[in-house]
Amino acid sequence: MPDDLTTTELLRCNKCGYCQSTCPTYAVTLNEAQVARGRNALAAALAEGDMESLEALRGPFFDCLLCGACTEACFSSVRTDEVMVRAREAFHAQHGQPFVQRFIFRRLLGHPERLAALLRLAGTGKRTGLARLFRRLGLLRWINATLEGAEGLVETVPRRFLRDRLKRIGFRRHRTGRGYELVLSRAPEAPLGPRVAYFLGCGTNFQEPDSGEAAIRLLARAGCEVVALPNVCCGLPPYSYGDMAAARELARTNLDLLRSTDAEYIVTDCGSCSRFLKGYVDLLSEEPEVAETAGRVRDWTEILAEHPLPPPVRPWEGIVTYHDPCHLGRGQGITEAPRKLLTQAAGATLVELPEADWCCGGAGSYNLSHPEMSLAILRRKLNNIARTGAKTVATACPACLIQLSYGLRQEESPVQVRHVAEIVAHAQGLDSLGD
Amino acid sequence: MPHPYTPLPPLALEELRRAVGVGRFLTDPLARHLYSYDGALDREPAAAVALPETTDEVASLVGICARHRVPFVPRGAGTSLSGGPIPAPGSLLISLTRMNRVLAIHPADLCAVVQPGLVNLDLQKRLEPLGLFYAPDPSSQLVSTLGGNLGHNAGGAHCLKYGVTANHLLAAEVVTPEGEVMPIGGLGADLPGYNLLGLYAGSEGTLGIVTEMTVRLTPLPEATSTALVIFDSLADASAAVADIIARGLVPAALEMMDHPLLEAVERTFEAGYPLDAAAVLLIDVDGPPAALAPQMAAIRAICADHQAREFHQADDPGERARLWRGRKGTAAAIANLAPGKISTDVSVPRDQLPEMLARMTSLAESYGLVIGNILHAGDGNLHPQIIFDPRDADEMRRVFAAQGEVIEAALSLGGSMTGEHGVGTEKRKYMPLMFSAEELALMGRVKQAFDPAGLCNPGKLLPDELGEPGPELPLPVGSFTHAAETVAVRDAAGRLTPYDYEAMAKLLALATREGQPVQLTSRPTERGPRQACEGREAISTLGLHSVLGVDAANATVTAQAGVRVAELQAALAEVGQWWPVLPPGGKEATLGSVLASGRSGPLALLYGRLADRVTGVRLALPTGEIVRFGVSCVKNVAGYALERLLVGSQGTLAAILEVVLRTVAIPPSVCTQAWYVPTETQAQELGRRLLLQPVRPAGLEVLNPAGAKALGLALGESGWLLVAAWHGLAEEVEAGAGAGQAAATALNLETVATPASTWDTVAALPSADDDAVALELSCPPSRCLDVLAAAQEVMRGRGAAVLAASPGLGNVRVGLPRSEGDSLGPVLDLLLTLTRTRGGSIRPLPPGHGLPLDSAPAPLVALTRRLKAAWDPVGILPSLTDLHY
C-alpha cells in the first residue's frame, strides 16, 4: 500500500484527535476505530508492517464515508479519504474484491445502455425495480442489506431515464465535424451565454431525471447552448471502493469524450460527479490535455451564478432549508451559489440548516452497503431538518436526494426533498414535462 | 512485526467481558493498537479496551481489575499532550467516550451534572441558550472531554479571568481504585473533610475514575471587546503584559504570539500581521458594556507606553473573530511547517516572561531548531512549539534535549514544568527537577492512600526514581519536653514557639519519635479542637511572622504562616494589592489558621473559594521533612496539588510554614448596599435577582435580627437584613449596584445604612466564644434561604440566636447561646434534619466540639484515615476523622 500520497499524508497526522469533532461515523460509534485518526493509525501500522492485513480492517477502512469532514477539521489537512481509498485497494489486493462489485464496475458502468436495459427490465411491474434487480443479480449478499431496506431506499425507478427524455426536452441532433451531437438551443429570450456540455451522471439519469431535466432547461434559460454528452459513469463508485483500475478506465473513456467537445464548460448537476471530473487532473495526470479539460468542468450552479436567471414568476412557497452535499460544499467550496439560486432565482424563504455540511449518510451507495450506520448518521440530519421548520429540503446531489427522501419517508414526515434545480425550475415557471 | 503486549489473565478476561458485554469489550489487535496513543508521542498497546456506559459498569470493571491485579487506565478523547492515558503494559483501557450525557442543568444553583465523556464544547452548546457557560475552554474544547479536562486541570484562553477546571468543580462521583463508588464534594461552600476534589483535579486519572461531575456555571458576559496589538520588540510586549496585570486590569484573555509563529500564521492565513513584527498581543475584555471602553482605553495607554506599533480594537462578533483568526489558526500554521511538532508547556511568574522568552530565542539558536511561542501571557503560561521531522533522528535528539532545557529554564525562574498539559509519561522524568525526593515520596504515599494496590493508571505523573533525599535533621536526645525546649522557646502561654522552619520541623520530628501528641495553634484567644487540647503539646506558629515577598506584577504574595491577615493586607496595600479574603476568624487570624480552617468567607462569590486563592505552600511534615508544593504561578499541573489538600485540613496533616497567595489589585470602586426585607419570600426574590444579574455582587449576605444587631442595627422582632457589595471598575460597580437598587425598589424595600466595618463583622458572624456554639450549614445555594428560614423557625423563642447566610455560596452560620440552660441536643437534631432534607451538611465551628455530626460514607472515611497516615504515620497531630465523623 505505501505510495507517496499515503506516506506523506500519514506522516503529517499528529494524532491530535480533532477529527473526532466532525467525523460522522465517530459521532455515532464513539469508537477510535471509526474516526480519521484511528483509520490513519491502522493504515500506518499496516504500511509500516506493525500489523498484518487482517480481515478485521474491513470495518475501519470501508466504514469511512469519504465525506472529507476530517480533512477540514485537521490542522495538517490530512486527506484521510484518499488514504482510505488506497487502503481499500490494498485490502482488495490481499483479500480479493467481491465478484459482483467487480462485475458492476468493469462490465456495467462503462456501458450505460446495458445498465439502462437491466434497470428498465427490473423497473417494470411495481416499479420497485432497483431492489428486484439487486435480488435477481444476487447483489444483496454483497451489499449486506435486507431486501426491505433496499426496497425502501428507492421508492420507484423512473419510467423513463433522463437520456430517454432528451428529445422531449428539446435536444436536436446536429451534425458536426466530429459526428452527431445532441444540442439544446438557448432560450429565445435569453442573453447570449456560453456553450456547455452536459454530463449525465448515473444518479441523475437513472434515479433523479426530473432534477436533470430542470437543470438543463435552466441552463438554456440562462442563455447556454447545451450539448448532451454520451458519457459513461464518472468513475467515482469504483474509486470509492478502491477499484482504481476500473475507475481509471471509466475516466479515460470520459476524458477522450470531454477533450473532443468544443464546449466552453463541462457541466453536471451532481456534486459528486463534478468534483470527481475536476479530479481527473490527478487521477489521469499522465494524460495529455487533462489539466485543460478538467479545468473546464463546472457544477451547474457555478454557471448559473455567472449567468443569472430572471426573477421568479411564482416564488417557491413555504420555508426551504438547504443541505450541503459533501462533494459539492466541502469538496468544491460551492455553498453560496445554490443558496443564492434558492433565494433569488426561486424567491424562496431560506432557513439555514444546523450542521448543513454534516454528511447525510447517503455517500454514493454507502446506504446500501452500510444500512445501519447510514441510518444512524441520517437521524442526526433529520433532527436538524426538523429544527428548521422547513417544508422543503433542497440539495444538489442525487445520492443525498435518495437518502434524505428515504429518511423523511420512514418518519412519515410531510417535508419534501427537492433538487435545487427542481425548485428553481418550478419558480421560473418551467413545469416538468413528465416522463 | 506487531507490537508485543501483555495479555490479561483468562479469568479476568471472561469476567470483564461479561461486565460490559461482547460488543463493548475489545481484545482484537486493532483495538489494542487504536487505544495505544494520545496526542503526544508515546505509544503502548492496551491489553483490552472496554467501553462502559454507566457508573456501575465502570465500578464492576475496576472491581474485577482489583481482584485480578490487572492495571487499568481511564481515557477520554485521547487528545492529551503528555501521555496521560497511555496504557501501562497489560492494562485494561477504560474508554469513557460513551458516558457523554448531560445529566442535569440547575440554573438556580449555577451548576450542571455531567458524565466524564461529554465533550466540553457540547456542554457549552447546551448552556448557551440559557445565557450560561462553563468557563474552562482549553483549545481542544471541541473534542476534549470534561473528564479529561478534570484529569489535567485544563485551563484555556479565558482562565486568566475565569480560572482553571479546579476552580469550577463542585462535586464528583468517583469509582475508587478498589471499585467502590464514592461521592465527593457538594454544592455548598467549604464542606467538611479533606479537599479531595481539589486533589482529583490534575491527578491524570491516577486516583480513581471520575464517573460523574458537577461543574460550576457562569452567566455569559453581556459584551466582549477584543484588541490586537502589534509590537516591534518581544520585551516591550511582555512588559506590557506584566503592566496590565499589575494595574489590576483583568482581561478575559491575554494571549501572545512571537515572531516565528506570526510568520507561520501569516504565510498560511494572511491574518494581517506585519511580517517584521516581533510579537502580537490578543486581548479580550468582557463585562457590562459601559465598563469595556474604559478598560480598553487603559490597556491601550499601557500598550502605547510600551511602544506598541499598532492597536486594533473590535467590538462586534464578526470583527472580533477576524482578529482572533490568526491565533486560532496557529496550530494549523505550525502543522504546515513540518510533519511533526511538540507543544511544550511551562509556566513562569508573569514578570519573568521577558527573561523566559529571551532564553527561548537563544535555545532555538543553540540547538538549530525552529521554536515559536504561543503564550497565555496573562497566566505566565507558554507553549514553545518545536517543529521537526520524525524521520530525522538527529533532529529528534535535539528536540528532546531542547524540551528538557525549556523545563529547566522555567524552573530556574520559579515556574512550573507544566502549566496545563500534565506530566503523563512524557515529563515524569523531569519531576525530580521540580520536586525533592521527600516531596515526591509524599506524593507517592498520597497516591498509595488512594490506590494501595497501585493498579490505577500506573507509570504516570511520578518518576520511577525519586532522587537523593536530603540529609536527615540532627535531633536532640531525650524526652520530648526536654528535647523540644532545646529547639524552641515556650511563650507566656506555655506553647512551644519555633522561630524558623528547621526548628518547626525538628519539633514535629521529635514528637513523632517520642509519640508525643501535638497541636498547632496561632493565637491566644483561639479555641483549639476541644478534645485535642488534653495531653497535647501546643506548638505556636506565631514565631513565623514575616511577609517574604509581594510581587505586584505577578499578583502573588509569599508570607509565613504566622503572619496575621491584617499585617499581610497592610504590606500588600503599599503596592496597591489586596488578598480578597475576609477570614471568618477575623483579621487577627494568621494565614496558617485561615488556610487550615478552609473557610472562604463571603467574598468567595466574586473572588473564588479559599483554595482558589492559594497557589503554593511550604510545610513541615510530622516526620520532620520540609517540603514545598505549588509555585508562584496560577497555572501549574505538575504532580498532585497537595497545596489544595492543605486548605481546610484543620492542622491534621502538617505544619504550614509559608504560603503563596494570589492577590488582586485593590478594586478602584467598592459599594455596599443593605435593605430591610420583611419576609423570607422577598429575601428569596431579591437574592435571586441580585445573583442572576450580569454583574455579580462580590458578596451577598442575609442576617436575622440578632445578626443585624452585631452591626449595631435594630431590625425589630422579625424580617431580614440583606447586605450586598460590588467591587470593580467604577462603571461595573455602578451597573451592579444600580441594578441591585432597582431590584430592591421593585420590591418596595427599605434601604438601611450600614457601618464601614460591615463586611469584616459579617464575615466573622457568628463569633465563636465560650458562651455560644457556632455551626456552619452547607447546602445547595438555591436552598440556602430555605434552610435559613427553617433554622429561624427552629430558633423561635431563642431570640439571641444569630443567623447569617451567604445565598450565593450555599452557607448558613448559626450561633446558639449556651446560656439558656437547656440541652442543645433537641435543637441540634432539628437543625441536622432540616439541613439534610435540603441536601446539605453541617459542621461545628471550630471543629471538635463533640457535637453530633454528619457521618461520611465508608470508603471516604477509610480513605481519609489512609491519607492522614500517609502524612502523619504516628498520629501526632489531631485526626480529621475524630473532628468530623
Side-chain angles (χ1 to χ4, degrees), chain A residues 11 15-16 18 20-21 26 29-30 32 37 49-50 76, chain B residues 1-2 34-35 37 39 77-79 97-98 140 335 391:
Chain A
L11 186 65
K15 309 245 183 312
C16 71
Y18 278 46
Q20 291 172 81
S21 64
Y26 183 74
T29 60
L30 299 170
E32 187 78 23
R37 174 172 68 169
D50 282 349
S76 311
Chain B
M1 276 306 291
L34 285 165
Y35 290 86
Y37 51 75
T79 55
T97 48
R98 287 175 184 235
S140 61
R391 293 165 297 192

PDB file of all heavy atoms in Angstrom, chain A residues 11 15-16 18 20-21 26 29-30 32 37 49-50 76, chain B residues 1-2 34-35 37 39 77-79 97-98 140 335 391:
ATOM      1  N   LEU A  11       2.259  10.621   7.598  1.00  0.00           N
ATOM      2  CA  LEU A  11       3.331  11.234   8.377  1.00  0.00           C
ATOM      3  C   LEU A  11       2.850  12.529   9.025  1.00  0.00           C
ATOM      4  O   LEU A  11       3.271  12.896  10.114  1.00  0.00           O
ATOM      5  CB  LEU A  11       4.512  11.527   7.440  1.00  0.00           C
ATOM      6  CG  LEU A  11       5.791  12.036   8.086  1.00  0.00           C
ATOM      7  CD1 LEU A  11       6.376  10.954   8.979  1.00  0.00           C
ATOM      8  CD2 LEU A  11       6.789  12.442   7.010  1.00  0.00           C
ATOM      9  N   LYS A  15      -1.979  12.934  15.355  1.00  0.00           N
ATOM     10  CA  LYS A  15      -2.811  12.230  16.343  1.00  0.00           C
ATOM     11  C   LYS A  15      -3.432  13.186  17.365  1.00  0.00           C
ATOM     12  O   LYS A  15      -3.612  12.829  18.526  1.00  0.00           O
ATOM     13  CB  LYS A  15      -2.005  11.155  17.088  1.00  0.00           C
ATOM     14  CG  LYS A  15      -1.248  10.200  16.178  1.00  0.00           C
ATOM     15  CD  LYS A  15      -1.799   8.801  16.311  1.00  0.00           C
ATOM     16  CE  LYS A  15      -1.048   7.795  15.476  1.00  0.00           C
ATOM     17  NZ  LYS A  15      -0.814   8.182  14.098  1.00  0.00           N
ATOM     18  N   CYS A  16      -3.733  14.400  16.934  1.00  0.00           N
ATOM     19  CA  CYS A  16      -4.326  15.353  17.881  1.00  0.00           C
ATOM     20  C   CYS A  16      -5.757  14.969  18.202  1.00  0.00           C
ATOM     21  O   CYS A  16      -6.281  15.331  19.242  1.00  0.00           O
ATOM     22  CB  CYS A  16      -4.258  16.779  17.337  1.00  0.00           C
ATOM     23  SG  CYS A  16      -5.366  17.082  15.946  1.00  0.00           S
ATOM     24  N   TYR A  18      -8.527  15.931  16.646  1.00  0.00           N
ATOM     25  CA  TYR A  18      -9.562  16.942  16.387  1.00  0.00           C
ATOM     26  C   TYR A  18     -10.609  16.457  15.389  1.00  0.00           C
ATOM     27  O   TYR A  18     -11.705  16.989  15.323  1.00  0.00           O
ATOM     28  CB  TYR A  18      -8.924  18.262  15.918  1.00  0.00           C
ATOM     29  CG  TYR A  18      -8.428  19.105  17.075  1.00  0.00           C
ATOM     30  CD1 TYR A  18      -7.697  18.526  18.095  1.00  0.00           C
ATOM     31  CD2 TYR A  18      -8.718  20.462  17.161  1.00  0.00           C
ATOM     32  CE1 TYR A  18      -7.249  19.273  19.164  1.00  0.00           C
ATOM     33  CE2 TYR A  18      -8.271  21.223  18.229  1.00  0.00           C
ATOM     34  CZ  TYR A  18      -7.538  20.621  19.231  1.00  0.00           C
ATOM     35  OH  TYR A  18      -7.105  21.370  20.292  1.00  0.00           O
ATOM     36  N   GLN A  20     -12.311  13.999  15.672  1.00  0.00           N
ATOM     37  CA  GLN A  20     -13.466  13.481  16.408  1.00  0.00           C
ATOM     38  C   GLN A  20     -14.637  14.451  16.376  1.00  0.00           C
ATOM     39  O   GLN A  20     -15.778  14.057  16.544  1.00  0.00           O
ATOM     40  CB  GLN A  20     -13.092  13.219  17.876  1.00  0.00           C
ATOM     41  CG  GLN A  20     -12.133  12.064  18.059  1.00  0.00           C
ATOM     42  CD  GLN A  20     -11.640  11.965  19.502  1.00  0.00           C
ATOM     43  OE1 GLN A  20     -12.309  11.443  20.377  1.00  0.00           O
ATOM     44  NE2 GLN A  20     -10.467  12.489  19.756  1.00  0.00           N
ATOM     45  N   SER A  21     -14.327  15.743  16.185  1.00  0.00           N
ATOM     46  CA  SER A  21     -15.409  16.733  16.235  1.00  0.00           C
ATOM     47  C   SER A  21     -16.266  16.720  14.989  1.00  0.00           C
ATOM     48  O   SER A  21     -17.389  17.211  15.019  1.00  0.00           O
ATOM     49  CB  SER A  21     -14.832  18.132  16.452  1.00  0.00           C
ATOM     50  OG  SER A  21     -14.032  18.500  15.346  1.00  0.00           O
ATOM     51  N   TYR A  26     -17.710   8.522  13.752  1.00  0.00           N
ATOM     52  CA  TYR A  26     -17.284   8.570  15.152  1.00  0.00           C
ATOM     53  C   TYR A  26     -18.434   9.038  16.042  1.00  0.00           C
ATOM     54  O   TYR A  26     -18.659   8.523  17.132  1.00  0.00           O
ATOM     55  CB  TYR A  26     -16.069   9.476  15.345  1.00  0.00           C
ATOM     56  CG  TYR A  26     -15.584   9.480  16.784  1.00  0.00           C
ATOM     57  CD1 TYR A  26     -14.898   8.395  17.302  1.00  0.00           C
ATOM     58  CD2 TYR A  26     -15.893  10.543  17.639  1.00  0.00           C
ATOM     59  CE1 TYR A  26     -14.499   8.362  18.630  1.00  0.00           C
ATOM     60  CE2 TYR A  26     -15.503  10.519  18.975  1.00  0.00           C
ATOM     61  CZ  TYR A  26     -14.810   9.427  19.463  1.00  0.00           C
ATOM     62  OH  TYR A  26     -14.426   9.391  20.778  1.00  0.00           O
ATOM     63  N   THR A  29     -20.566   6.083  16.777  1.00  0.00           N
ATOM     64  CA  THR A  29     -19.977   4.888  17.406  1.00  0.00           C
ATOM     65  C   THR A  29     -19.131   5.215  18.633  1.00  0.00           C
ATOM     66  O   THR A  29     -18.985   4.384  19.518  1.00  0.00           O
ATOM     67  CB  THR A  29     -19.043   4.151  16.427  1.00  0.00           C
ATOM     68  OG1 THR A  29     -17.980   5.049  16.048  1.00  0.00           O
ATOM     69  CG2 THR A  29     -19.786   3.692  15.190  1.00  0.00           C
ATOM     70  N   LEU A  30     -18.541   6.427  18.668  1.00  0.00           N
ATOM     71  CA  LEU A  30     -17.643   6.849  19.747  1.00  0.00           C
ATOM     72  C   LEU A  30     -16.533   5.831  19.960  1.00  0.00           C
ATOM     73  O   LEU A  30     -16.115   5.551  21.076  1.00  0.00           O
ATOM     74  CB  LEU A  30     -18.438   7.091  21.040  1.00  0.00           C
ATOM     75  CG  LEU A  30     -19.503   8.185  20.921  1.00  0.00           C
ATOM     76  CD1 LEU A  30     -20.400   8.212  22.138  1.00  0.00           C
ATOM     77  CD2 LEU A  30     -18.851   9.549  20.719  1.00  0.00           C
ATOM     78  N   GLU A  32     -12.688   4.573  18.593  1.00  0.00           N
ATOM     79  CA  GLU A  32     -11.485   5.068  17.910  1.00  0.00           C
ATOM     80  C   GLU A  32     -11.280   4.419  16.535  1.00  0.00           C
ATOM     81  O   GLU A  32     -10.604   4.979  15.674  1.00  0.00           O
ATOM     82  CB  GLU A  32     -10.268   4.824  18.817  1.00  0.00           C
ATOM     83  CG  GLU A  32      -8.960   5.436  18.342  1.00  0.00           C
ATOM     84  CD  GLU A  32      -8.831   6.939  18.589  1.00  0.00           C
ATOM     85  OE1 GLU A  32      -9.507   7.477  19.485  1.00  0.00           O
ATOM     86  OE2 GLU A  32      -8.048   7.575  17.856  1.00  0.00           O
ATOM     87  N   ARG A  37      -8.371   9.694  12.796  1.00  0.00           N
ATOM     88  CA  ARG A  37      -7.117   9.413  13.491  1.00  0.00           C
ATOM     89  C   ARG A  37      -6.878   7.915  13.630  1.00  0.00           C
ATOM     90  O   ARG A  37      -5.775   7.420  13.389  1.00  0.00           O
ATOM     91  CB  ARG A  37      -7.140  10.065  14.884  1.00  0.00           C
ATOM     92  CG  ARG A  37      -5.937   9.711  15.725  1.00  0.00           C
ATOM     93  CD  ARG A  37      -5.878  10.500  17.022  1.00  0.00           C
ATOM     94  NE  ARG A  37      -6.937  10.156  17.963  1.00  0.00           N
ATOM     95  CZ  ARG A  37      -6.972  10.563  19.234  1.00  0.00           C
ATOM     96  NH1 ARG A  37      -6.012  11.336  19.703  1.00  0.00           N
ATOM     97  NH2 ARG A  37      -7.967  10.238  20.023  1.00  0.00           N
ATOM     98  N   GLY A  49       4.236  -2.303   8.574  1.00  0.00           N
ATOM     99  CA  GLY A  49       4.417  -3.709   8.904  1.00  0.00           C
ATOM    100  C   GLY A  49       4.198  -4.021  10.373  1.00  0.00           C
ATOM    101  O   GLY A  49       4.550  -5.088  10.851  1.00  0.00           O
ATOM    102  N   ASP A  50       3.595  -3.073  11.106  1.00  0.00           N
ATOM    103  CA  ASP A  50       3.306  -3.314  12.519  1.00  0.00           C
ATOM    104  C   ASP A  50       2.048  -4.152  12.689  1.00  0.00           C
ATOM    105  O   ASP A  50       1.718  -4.571  13.786  1.00  0.00           O
ATOM    106  CB  ASP A  50       3.104  -1.990  13.267  1.00  0.00           C
ATOM    107  CG  ASP A  50       4.432  -1.337  13.574  1.00  0.00           C
ATOM    108  OD1 ASP A  50       5.460  -2.004  13.392  1.00  0.00           O
ATOM    109  OD2 ASP A  50       4.423  -0.162  13.984  1.00  0.00           O
ATOM    110  N   SER A  76      -3.350  19.744   9.856  1.00  0.00           N
ATOM    111  CA  SER A  76      -2.437  19.418   8.763  1.00  0.00           C
ATOM    112  C   SER A  76      -3.190  19.095   7.476  1.00  0.00           C
ATOM    113  O   SER A  76      -2.578  18.710   6.498  1.00  0.00           O
ATOM    114  CB  SER A  76      -1.578  18.219   9.150  1.00  0.00           C
ATOM    115  OG  SER A  76      -1.019  18.384  10.418  1.00  0.00           O
TER     116      SER A  76
ATOM    117  N   MET B   1       6.579  -6.148  12.385  1.00  0.00           N
ATOM    118  CA  MET B   1       6.037  -7.089  13.378  1.00  0.00           C
ATOM    119  C   MET B   1       5.039  -6.385  14.288  1.00  0.00           C
ATOM    120  O   MET B   1       5.245  -5.258  14.680  1.00  0.00           O
ATOM    121  CB  MET B   1       7.188  -7.640  14.225  1.00  0.00           C
ATOM    122  CG  MET B   1       7.927  -8.816  13.603  1.00  0.00           C
ATOM    123  SD  MET B   1       6.796 -10.157  13.146  1.00  0.00           S
ATOM    124  CE  MET B   1       6.292 -10.747  14.756  1.00  0.00           C
ATOM    125  N   PRO B   2       3.953  -7.095  14.607  1.00  0.00           N
ATOM    126  CA  PRO B   2       3.011  -6.490  15.556  1.00  0.00           C
ATOM    127  C   PRO B   2       3.699  -6.236  16.890  1.00  0.00           C
ATOM    128  O   PRO B   2       4.595  -6.984  17.278  1.00  0.00           O
ATOM    129  CB  PRO B   2       1.923  -7.564  15.704  1.00  0.00           C
ATOM    130  CG  PRO B   2       2.070  -8.453  14.522  1.00  0.00           C
ATOM    131  CD  PRO B   2       3.517  -8.394  14.129  1.00  0.00           C
ATOM    132  N   LEU B  34      -5.399   0.823  18.459  1.00  0.00           N
ATOM    133  CA  LEU B  34      -6.141   2.083  18.362  1.00  0.00           C
ATOM    134  C   LEU B  34      -6.149   2.868  19.675  1.00  0.00           C
ATOM    135  O   LEU B  34      -6.328   4.074  19.680  1.00  0.00           O
ATOM    136  CB  LEU B  34      -7.576   1.797  17.939  1.00  0.00           C
ATOM    137  CG  LEU B  34      -7.730   1.430  16.463  1.00  0.00           C
ATOM    138  CD1 LEU B  34      -9.095   0.814  16.206  1.00  0.00           C
ATOM    139  CD2 LEU B  34      -7.537   2.674  15.594  1.00  0.00           C
ATOM    140  N   TYR B  35      -6.028   2.160  20.782  1.00  0.00           N
ATOM    141  CA  TYR B  35      -6.057   2.855  22.062  1.00  0.00           C
ATOM    142  C   TYR B  35      -4.654   2.903  22.689  1.00  0.00           C
ATOM    143  O   TYR B  35      -4.512   2.938  23.900  1.00  0.00           O
ATOM    144  CB  TYR B  35      -7.076   2.203  22.992  1.00  0.00           C
ATOM    145  CG  TYR B  35      -8.496   2.461  22.532  1.00  0.00           C
ATOM    146  CD1 TYR B  35      -9.116   1.640  21.598  1.00  0.00           C
ATOM    147  CD2 TYR B  35      -9.201   3.565  22.998  1.00  0.00           C
ATOM    148  CE1 TYR B  35     -10.406   1.888  21.158  1.00  0.00           C
ATOM    149  CE2 TYR B  35     -10.496   3.825  22.571  1.00  0.00           C
ATOM    150  CZ  TYR B  35     -11.089   2.978  21.645  1.00  0.00           C
ATOM    151  OH  TYR B  35     -12.369   3.248  21.217  1.00  0.00           O
ATOM    152  N   TYR B  37      -2.408   5.304  21.945  1.00  0.00           N
ATOM    153  CA  TYR B  37      -1.798   6.624  21.807  1.00  0.00           C
ATOM    154  C   TYR B  37      -2.705   7.728  22.335  1.00  0.00           C
ATOM    155  O   TYR B  37      -3.893   7.518  22.551  1.00  0.00           O
ATOM    156  CB  TYR B  37      -1.489   6.913  20.330  1.00  0.00           C
ATOM    157  CG  TYR B  37      -2.666   6.696  19.404  1.00  0.00           C
ATOM    158  CD1 TYR B  37      -3.723   7.607  19.359  1.00  0.00           C
ATOM    159  CD2 TYR B  37      -2.739   5.572  18.572  1.00  0.00           C
ATOM    160  CE1 TYR B  37      -4.794   7.404  18.522  1.00  0.00           C
ATOM    161  CE2 TYR B  37      -3.815   5.377  17.719  1.00  0.00           C
ATOM    162  CZ  TYR B  37      -4.844   6.291  17.702  1.00  0.00           C
ATOM    163  OH  TYR B  37      -5.923   6.094  16.886  1.00  0.00           O
ATOM    164  N   GLY B  39      -2.424  12.438  22.058  1.00  0.00           N
ATOM    165  CA  GLY B  39      -1.920  13.450  21.136  1.00  0.00           C
ATOM    166  C   GLY B  39      -0.419  13.685  21.248  1.00  0.00           C
ATOM    167  O   GLY B  39       0.134  14.516  20.544  1.00  0.00           O
ATOM    168  N   ALA B  77     -11.101  11.571  25.264  1.00  0.00           N
ATOM    169  CA  ALA B  77     -10.985  11.705  23.814  1.00  0.00           C
ATOM    170  C   ALA B  77      -9.568  11.393  23.335  1.00  0.00           C
ATOM    171  O   ALA B  77      -9.309  11.401  22.141  1.00  0.00           O
ATOM    172  CB  ALA B  77     -11.387  13.110  23.389  1.00  0.00           C
ATOM    173  N   GLY B  78      -8.659  11.150  24.263  1.00  0.00           N
ATOM    174  CA  GLY B  78      -7.293  10.844  23.844  1.00  0.00           C
ATOM    175  C   GLY B  78      -6.613  12.013  23.160  1.00  0.00           C
ATOM    176  O   GLY B  78      -5.838  11.829  22.231  1.00  0.00           O
ATOM    177  N   THR B  79      -6.900  13.234  23.612  1.00  0.00           N
ATOM    178  CA  THR B  79      -6.285  14.410  22.989  1.00  0.00           C
ATOM    179  C   THR B  79      -5.192  15.006  23.869  1.00  0.00           C
ATOM    180  O   THR B  79      -4.668  16.071  23.556  1.00  0.00           O
ATOM    181  CB  THR B  79      -7.340  15.508  22.733  1.00  0.00           C
ATOM    182  OG1 THR B  79      -7.998  15.811  23.959  1.00  0.00           O
ATOM    183  CG2 THR B  79      -8.357  15.032  21.736  1.00  0.00           C
ATOM    184  N   THR B  97     -15.808   7.454  26.457  1.00  0.00           N
ATOM    185  CA  THR B  97     -16.460   8.295  25.442  1.00  0.00           C
ATOM    186  C   THR B  97     -17.972   8.090  25.374  1.00  0.00           C
ATOM    187  O   THR B  97     -18.690   8.967  24.944  1.00  0.00           O
ATOM    188  CB  THR B  97     -15.870   8.013  24.050  1.00  0.00           C
ATOM    189  OG1 THR B  97     -15.838   6.607  23.846  1.00  0.00           O
ATOM    190  CG2 THR B  97     -14.470   8.565  23.924  1.00  0.00           C
ATOM    191  N   ARG B  98     -18.414   6.901  25.782  1.00  0.00           N
ATOM    192  CA  ARG B  98     -19.863   6.670  25.687  1.00  0.00           C
ATOM    193  C   ARG B  98     -20.623   7.193  26.902  1.00  0.00           C
ATOM    194  O   ARG B  98     -21.854   7.135  26.930  1.00  0.00           O
ATOM    195  CB  ARG B  98     -20.140   5.187  25.523  1.00  0.00           C
ATOM    196  CG  ARG B  98     -19.760   4.734  24.138  1.00  0.00           C
ATOM    197  CD  ARG B  98     -19.930   3.248  24.016  1.00  0.00           C
ATOM    198  NE  ARG B  98     -19.470   2.837  22.711  1.00  0.00           N
ATOM    199  CZ  ARG B  98     -20.223   2.144  21.854  1.00  0.00           C
ATOM    200  NH1 ARG B  98     -21.426   1.782  22.180  1.00  0.00           N
ATOM    201  NH2 ARG B  98     -19.739   1.817  20.682  1.00  0.00           N
ATOM    202  N   SER B 140      -8.582  22.580  22.958  1.00  0.00           N
ATOM    203  CA  SER B 140      -9.093  21.311  22.450  1.00  0.00           C
ATOM    204  C   SER B 140     -10.573  21.139  22.743  1.00  0.00           C
ATOM    205  O   SER B 140     -11.107  20.056  22.578  1.00  0.00           O
ATOM    206  CB  SER B 140      -8.339  20.160  23.126  1.00  0.00           C
ATOM    207  OG  SER B 140      -8.568  20.217  24.529  1.00  0.00           O
ATOM    208  N   ALA B 335       1.500  23.239  11.719  1.00  0.00           N
ATOM    209  CA  ALA B 335       1.434  21.930  11.064  1.00  0.00           C
ATOM    210  C   ALA B 335       1.939  22.025   9.626  1.00  0.00           C
ATOM    211  O   ALA B 335       2.437  21.049   9.073  1.00  0.00           O
ATOM    212  CB  ALA B 335       0.009  21.397  11.096  1.00  0.00           C
ATOM    213  N   ARG B 391      11.472  11.596  10.991  1.00  0.00           N
ATOM    214  CA  ARG B 391      12.407  10.664  10.347  1.00  0.00           C
ATOM    215  C   ARG B 391      13.866  11.072  10.557  1.00  0.00           C
ATOM    216  O   ARG B 391      14.778  10.331  10.262  1.00  0.00           O
ATOM    217  CB  ARG B 391      12.114  10.597   8.850  1.00  0.00           C
ATOM    218  CG  ARG B 391      10.759   9.948   8.548  1.00  0.00           C
ATOM    219  CD  ARG B 391      10.325  10.218   7.126  1.00  0.00           C
ATOM    220  NE  ARG B 391      10.114  11.650   6.881  1.00  0.00           N
ATOM    221  CZ  ARG B 391       9.519  12.146   5.815  1.00  0.00           C
ATOM    222  NH1 ARG B 391       9.085  11.338   4.864  1.00  0.00           N
ATOM    223  NH2 ARG B 391       9.342  13.442   5.670  1.00  0.00           N
TER     224      ARG B 391
END
